[in-house]
Amino acid sequence: MNKSQLQQHDREHLLHPFTDFHDLGQQGTRLITSAEGVYITDIDGHKMLDGMSGLWCCNLGYSRREISEAIYEQLNRLPFYNSFFQCTTVPSIELADLLAEVTPAHMNNVFFTGSGSEANDTNLRIIRRYWDLKDLPEKRIIISRNNAYHGSTIGGASLGGMSGMHKQFQSLDYIEHIQQPYWFGEGGDMSPEEFGIYAARCLDEKIQELGPDKVAAFIAEPIQGAGGVIIPPETYWPEVKKVLDQYDILLVMDEVIFGFGRTGEWFGSDYYGVKPDLMTFAKAVTNGYFPLGGTMVSDRVADVIKSKGGEFTHGYTYSAHPAACMAGLATLNILREEKIIENVRDNTAPYLAKRWAELADHPIVGEARSLGLVGALELVKDKSSRARFDDKCTAGAVCRNMSIKNGLVMRATGDTMIIAPPLILTTGQIDELVEKARRALDDTAMAMA
Ligand SMILES: *Cc1c(COP(=O)(O)O)cnc(C)c1O
């Protein structure tokens, strides 16, 4: 099939995730056909620097044969066996071991799933099981944040705080949402530091309002990813930690994006110095080569759910899929052996911070923020009032298209442009990324004038 035939069949048979089917039918799809290193190429031969690591997952880029060969060899040796009914496989044991090693010291057990959404569903099951076994069954409510993303199953989407999603399904009724730490969008006249404290105090208020004896857990991404790379003010996490320390409430860190090195530390929890009770992971754990997710369980929780009898009636056919576990092992071994995360922390993150900050001088950029290897640009019509161009987020959509045209994949979340490039990005490629982003901003400014 040629390009237009492929697009035609796509239109006729393929329902895409998070897509306006009607619009897509008119515009047609972008067909990505190959990739090498940190670049992807479409069917027209247009090569782009992938500033989003696929969908926050290909942190080592697209050319790691160690991972694909590990999967292939496992598929030939033992393509599948489950871990139900007292069975297990070698790759799943080895990956569990390795995860216990690289995650924070107090986390030594893992429950494998097929995705991040499933892992958050698993968290809901573990949280309830934990409090039931502790004879505190009235602890049921889970607090999350507005504009959080925790996946797209009913559990994941209920935990998430995106209003557009909530309009299209019936949310679980034991989940509450509070203020997000989004200073640029919602900080008003407060300084970032004041606003960070304020947003953390909202958690305390909510706990008091609901009653601490009713609250089971608080779930958060260390930095909101899909919500628009919302890097909380520096005062936020220390204050949240103080709040949580006062109450007997579990902390679930959703590390699906920030796990495995994106901040320059192994986990966002390490970066912010918080000690979660449960930690969701997925995406980069296999470098996107094979579906795998899971949740790391702290000793505090594991001791309870492992020592009391009775079956935990939960699991997925593909929990601990052997080929997925081999992909995870190969990926984590590369991260360790090549000191990828140390290189982000010591070299490329500081370099990106410096180069990315230069974009703040652009006439349509209200804020340029970055941390580790993520960045965001707030597109505005007026820098001092932070006013947007319109309420339809036209500028973001235009900038995304301009960026792709200029050979850089940036994503638009409303009028916030975001990047999360592969962790193997070199300083030369950071220069390329920033130059292409600037050109996209110039083109956007012209188009919006
Ligand atoms: C992507 C994502 C998820 C969902 O993971 P899937 O594998 O798409 O189910 C959950 N939490 C966060 C923070 C994510 O970014």
Side-chain angles (χ1 to χ4, degrees):
M1 285 194 271
N2 66 26
K3 179 182 167 185
S4 61
Q5 288 166 325
L6 284 163
Q7 285 175 325
Q8 182 60 27
H9 285 257
D10 184 283
R11 232 189 307 275
E12 286 171 6
H13 302 296
L14 188 53
L15 297 173
H16 292 251
F18 287 96
T19 293
D20 179 329
F21 302 136
H22 179 261
D23 280 3
L24 189 75
Q26 304 202 316
Q27 292 159 3
T29 36
R30 275 180 232 282
L31 250 150
I32 309 304
T33 47
S34 65
E36 200 187 336
V38 297
Y39 296 90
I40 59 171
T41 304
D42 71 14
I43 197 163
D44 299 318
H46 181 52
K47 188 174 157 183
M48 294 157 272
L49 174 59
D50 184 8
M52 283 305 299
S53 306
L55 204 51
W56 322 86
C57 44
C58 302
N59 285 2
L60 300 169
Y62 294 91
S63 303
R64 297 310 302 236
R65 293 197 76 95
E66 300 94 318
I67 309 171
S68 38
E69 276 162 12
I71 296 167
Y72 179 72
E73 281 162 21
Q74 183 59 42
L75 289 176
N76 288 331
R77 195 179 310 123
L78 176 70
F80 175 78
Y81 206 74
N82 66 71
S83 46
F84 289 41
F85 319 129
Q86 291 154 38
C87 292
T88 191
T89 64
V90 178
S92 63
I93 298 168
E94 289 181 351
L95 183 59
D97 253 1
L98 186 51
L99 284 166
E101 215 177 298
V102 301
T103 54
H106 69 290
M107 311 196 97
N108 293 295
N109 283 268
V110 61
F111 194 102
F112 286 117
T113 70
S115 69
S117 303
E118 288 174 13
N120 279 328
D121 278 28
T122 296
N123 283 332
L124 293 175
R125 298 292 308 272
I126 291 178
I127 291 165
R128 176 150 180 177
R129 179 87 178 138
Y130 173 80
W131 290 118
D132 282 354
L133 289 173
K134 297 265 288 181
D135 281 328
L136 292 167
E138 68 281 11
K139 276 172 108 53
R140 282 285 184 263
I141 301 172
I142 298 173
I143 301 175
S144 179
R145 303 178 300 178
N146 298 330
N147 197 35
Y149 188 76
H150 296 299
S152 192
T153 53
I154 298 296
S158 296
L159 289 168
M162 293 184 169
S163 53
M165 285 171 71
H166 279 270
K167 283 188 198 121
Q168 293 187 4
F169 78 105
Q170 191 172 347
S171 178
L172 300 176
D173 62 7
Y174 52 90
I175 294 165
E176 298 274 338
H177 294 87
I178 58 167
Q179 173 73 50
Q180 59 173 334
Y182 180 27
W183 175 77
F184 185 86
E186 298 169 4
D189 295 333
M190 282 183 249
S191 70
E193 293 70 30
E194 288 166 346
F195 180 68
I197 302 278
Y198 165 79
R201 299 311 307 170
C202 291
L203 174 61
D204 192 57
E205 264 171 43
K206 190 53 131 184
I207 294 169
Q208 302 218 29
E209 174 198 319
L210 297 165
D213 53 336
K214 300 278 194 304
V215 180
F218 172 57
I219 183 168
E221 303 153 81
I223 294 168
Q224 282 146 278
V229 179
I230 293 160
I231 302 167
E234 278 171 25
T235 49
Y236 181 73
W237 275 111
E239 190 67 20
V240 167
K241 222 164 74 170
K242 266 196 236 162
V243 171
L244 290 173
D245 284 347
Q246 289 169 44
Y247 307 103
D248 197 15
I249 292 170
L250 299 175
L251 170 63
V252 186
M253 270 293 220
D254 186 337
E255 298 264 8
V256 170
I257 288 176
F258 287 87
F260 309 107
R262 194 147 283 284
T263 62
E265 301 292 337
W266 271 88
F267 293 90
S269 306
D270 299 323
Y271 183 87
Y272 286 113
V274 292
K275 249 181 104 175
D277 299 292
L278 296 164
M279 204 164 82
T280 322
F281 66 86
K283 293 189 174 124
V285 66
T286 60
N287 202 38
Y289 277 43
F290 212 92
L292 176 68
T295 190
M296 288 304 297
V297 180
S298 64
D299 297 340
R300 168 191 175 181
V301 173
D303 286 350
V304 172
I305 63 172
K306 286 174 94 168
S307 66
K308 307 240 175 145
E311 181 182 340
F312 181 45
T313 55
H314 174 70
Y316 308 103
T317 300
Y318 297 123
S319 286
H321 190 290
C325 291
M326 285 306 289
L329 279 166
T331 302
L332 300 192
N333 282 330
I334 294 171
L335 283 175
R336 288 219 296 194
E337 281 158 20
E338 299 182 12
K339 302 208 181 316
I340 305 277
I341 299 171
E342 291 85 342
N343 187 50
V344 169
R345 183 191 63 204
D346 299 337
N347 301 313
T348 48
Y351 191 70
L352 178 72
K354 178 171 148 275
R355 295 292 335 260
W356 193 252
E358 292 167 15
L359 296 172
D361 70 8
H362 196 279
I364 65 164
V365 172
E367 183 182 70
R369 56 178 180 268
S370 75
L371 191 155
L373 282 198
V374 291
L377 302 170
E378 298 283 2
L379 304 185
V380 292
K381 190 174 175 186
D382 181 81
K383 283 166 98 89
S384 60
S385 68
R386 301 181 213 160
R388 304 289 189 179
F389 284 92
D390 57 35
D391 53 14
K392 294 198 287 289
C393 306
T394 315
V398 168
C399 190
R400 174 174 178 269
N401 290 339
M402 293 300 185
S403 183
I404 287 172
K405 204 180 86 209
N406 283 307
L408 169 67
V409 179
M410 276 202 282
R411 173 165 156 185
T413 305
D415 280 338
T416 310
M417 303 309 298
I418 59 180
I419 55 156
L423 305 186
I424 57 166
L425 207 69
T426 62
T427 52
Q429 287 162 341
I430 289 174
D431 290 335
E432 180 187 338
L433 184 153
V434 172
E435 276 151 32
K436 286 178 170 170
R438 186 176 286 279
R439 242 176 286 149
L441 291 167
D442 289 343
D443 292 348
T444 305
M446 208 127 74
M448 297 301 293

